[in-house]
Structures are given as structure tokens and as C-alpha cells.
Amino acid sequence: MVIFLETANAQQDAQYTQYMFNTMTVNPAYAGSRGQLSVAALYRAQWVGLDGAPKTQTLNLHSPIRNSNVGYGISIVNDEIGDGVVQETYFDAVVSYTVDVSLDGKLSFGLKAGGNLLNLDFDGLRQRDGFQEVVDTDNISNRFSPNIGLGVYYHTNKFYAGLSAPNILETEHFDGSQGNANDVDFLSQERINFYLITGYVFDLNNNFKFKPALLTKVVGGAPLQIDVSANFLFNDQFSFGAAYRWDAAVSALAGFQITDQFMIGLAYDRETTELGSTQFNDGSFEVFLRFELVKSFQKLVSPRFF
């Protein structure tokens, strides 16, 4: 699309079906909110079977600082499109500050700072028929762009809500200002993605909990994204549910708390658009793994369900 359009009006952040277990990636104020050291990794393969489809890997580490209201974390996201033709890696340091606003309500403010490395392999495009004359510029290798993000996150024992903008610097690429003879004449600009997340946990009985959740993502020049999910938690160990991405996909989710320390999650998306009915698209898959430094004598500050 970048090759054939003079202007790319927006570039969305990577999307996640298991965003409820990957919250710090979209909201830095989440750092430290689980009350202990938490390390989470996620792998997403989107539109499996489609040549050059996106692949995303994330790694998050966060923890509160003992006897303080401060949390900290590290976030790494690697996003690849086109079998390595376009690759972006984000590195961020995260800090949060939490205040008690009621008996069980906590309000956190988050800030992250870091940057991303962009790799763009124009040679990979030139190897395709008809692209040799369209693309005539040098490859980009590890071009660094700084970025910062902001977020606010409120939670009780059963409810949470957050508003964030993980990347607020709108970096421009390919603007023809590099002074090279082969400058390209199209523009790619990273736009601010705004996220609203919320959810509530209902105790159905002693063994079952039910949590509806919502994620809304807004970015200029792209359609509004709304993700609605409904998950059940049985015996504080096994979770299962479904999700719907507005005008895009339906999803199935499952998770298992293997021990107090380890949790694994799986998700499968099926497109509801025409892309989903094509024989070369087998859907999208996610695998999630979390480790938490929970001691047997400790009590969790917030439920494991969010």
C-alpha cells in the first residue's frame, strides 16, 4: 500500500486479541498494578496462510517498588510485515505512580519513554514482478525514532478502566528530505493511537467469575476499532470465552493458570470480512505466557482476571 499510494494517512499499532493479559503494551499506567513481579510474553501470527502476513512478538516486565506508590517496567514489541520487508522493534522503559482514591480504588498515572528501530528492505520488493521500477531507493537499516507514551488507569478489586496514548510522537518517514538522488515522493506518518479499556468481574458463584471487557482504539485516518470480549474464570484456574472485533473478526480465547506462578493463554481469530472466506487465510493465532513471582504467603493485590 505504501508503494502505490502517494500518502499513507495512518499507521496503526499492532493489534492483540488477548489485550486483557497484555495491558502494559497499550497502557503504561498498568505497570506494577498486579502487586508483584510479572513477566509476560505474547506471539501473534495474523492471517496465517497469507504470504507476508504480520507477525508480532511482545515481552513485558513490570513490578511495584516495595513500600512505595511507584511501579516500573520494560516493554519490547517486535512487529514484522512482508516476511521481513518491514520490521519495527519498540523498546520502552515504563514508570507509574499510584494513589488511593477510595477504600479499594486506585488511580495510576503512567509514562513510558523509548524508541523504535525501523528496517525496510526495498530489495525484497524489487524481487517481485513489476516492483523493480516502482521502488528505487536505498534500504533502511535500524533507523531510530524516539517516542513517549502516557496513560491513566483506575482499578478496584472488580472494575478497571484506562485511557492511554502509547506513542504520541508522530514520526514521518520517506518525506524526501534526506538529500539523496533517489528520494521517494511518498509519505508514511505514524499517527497517535488512543486506547480506552474497561472491564468488570462478576462473581457468579464460588467457582465461576464472569468478566466482560472492552477495548476501543482510535487513530486518525483509520476505522474505529472496537473489541468486545466475554470471559469466564473457573476455580481461579481455567478461563474461556469469546470476543468480537467490530466489522473485522470473531475470536475464541482460553487460558490456564498452571501454577500460582505460570499462566498460558491461547486465542484464535476468524475474519468476518471477505478476507476470512479466502482459501489462503487460516485465521490468526496468539500464544501468551506469564510468570509472576508469587509467594505462598502473599495475597494478590488485584484479581488475576485483569
Side-chain angles (χ1 to χ4, degrees):
M1 291 179 64
V2 171
I3 298 306
F4 289 108
L5 298 178
E6 291 185 358
T7 301
N9 290 321
Q11 177 176 326
Q12 290 211 46
D13 292 344
Q15 66 182 18
Y16 311 100
T17 299
Q18 300 177 99
Y19 60 87
M20 65 289 293
F21 300 129
N22 194 41
T23 308
M24 199 179 76
T25 299
V26 300
N27 193 330
Y30 187 79
S33 66
R34 291 191 60 80
Q36 64 274 320
L37 176 67
S38 180
V39 183
L42 182 145
Y43 173 79
R44 177 178 177 85
Q46 189 161 318
W47 305 329
V48 173
L50 180 63
D51 186 24
K55 296 180 177 64
T56 306
Q57 305 90 36
T58 71
L59 177 64
N60 295 316
L61 180 154
H62 65 102
S63 173
I65 296 178
R66 183 177 297 180
N67 299 323
S68 76
N69 295 329
V70 178
Y72 69 91
I74 298 173
S75 174
I76 302 173
V77 178
N78 182 67
D79 200 26
E80 178 183 313
I81 303 174
D83 295 327
V85 173
V86 181
Q87 182 181 23
E88 287 192 276
T89 305
Y90 297 82
F91 300 89
D92 296 296
V94 182
V95 64
S96 68
Y97 185 81
T98 301
V99 294
D100 295 328
V101 294
S102 66
L103 187 61
D104 62 348
K106 298 180 182 294
L107 182 63
S108 302
F109 303 90
L111 171 68
K112 77 172 189 177
N116 74 301
L117 298 175
L118 172 66
N119 290 277
L120 184 52
D121 180 16
F122 282 108
D123 289 332
L125 296 177
R126 295 189 187 100
Q127 294 172 8
R128 300 175 184 267
D129 294 338
F131 278 69
Q132 290 85 350
E133 296 180 0
V134 175
V135 181
D136 186 19
T137 190
D138 296 331
N139 291 340
I140 294 174
S141 179
N142 292 326
R143 177 182 290 177
F144 177 79
S145 300
N147 221 320
I148 58 175
L150 300 171
V152 59
Y153 179 73
Y154 171 80
H155 74 275
T156 67
N157 288 334
K158 296 185 177 297
F159 171 78
Y160 70 89
L163 181 64
S164 61
N167 300 291
I168 64 176
L169 299 183
E170 297 185 333
T171 304
E172 293 184 352
H173 303 288
F174 325 121
D175 58 0
S177 62
Q178 304 301 317
N180 298 326
N182 293 328
D183 281 340
V184 289
D185 58 358
F186 53 84
L187 174 65
S188 174
Q189 184 178 33
E190 297 183 11
R191 296 295 182 91
I192 301 175
N193 289 248
F194 295 96
Y195 290 86
L196 171 66
I197 58 173
T198 188
Y200 190 88
V201 178
F202 295 91
D203 292 319
L204 301 183
N205 56 42
N206 291 335
N207 294 321
F208 267 103
K209 296 179 181 178
F210 171 61
K211 186 190 74 173
L214 170 72
L215 177 146
T216 301
K217 180 166 65 172
V218 179
V219 56
L224 176 69
Q225 178 181 321
I226 300 176
D227 286 40
V228 180
S229 64
N231 282 277
F232 294 88
L233 179 64
F234 174 70
N235 203 29
D236 288 333
Q237 285 188 309
F238 178 64
S239 63
F240 58 94
Y244 175 67
R245 183 171 298 120
W246 188 266
D247 282 342
V250 293
S251 309
L253 304 92
F256 184 67
Q257 191 75 39
I258 304 171
T259 67
D260 285 343
Q261 291 78 30
F262 287 97
M263 176 189 174
I264 187 171
L266 302 171
Y268 172 74
D269 299 352
R270 190 66 184 178
E271 293 288 317
T272 58
T273 63
E274 292 184 4
L275 180 62
S277 62
T278 56
Q279 62 181 0
F280 51 79
N281 178 15
D282 295 323
S284 303
F285 297 85
E286 282 185 8
V287 179
F288 169 83
L289 181 64
R290 182 174 67 200
F291 168 80
E292 295 188 309
L293 193 61
V294 180
K295 304 293 181 60
S296 60
F297 59 85
Q298 289 178 325
K299 293 181 66 177
L300 292 176
V301 174
S302 59
R304 292 194 187 119
F305 217 8
F306 63 83

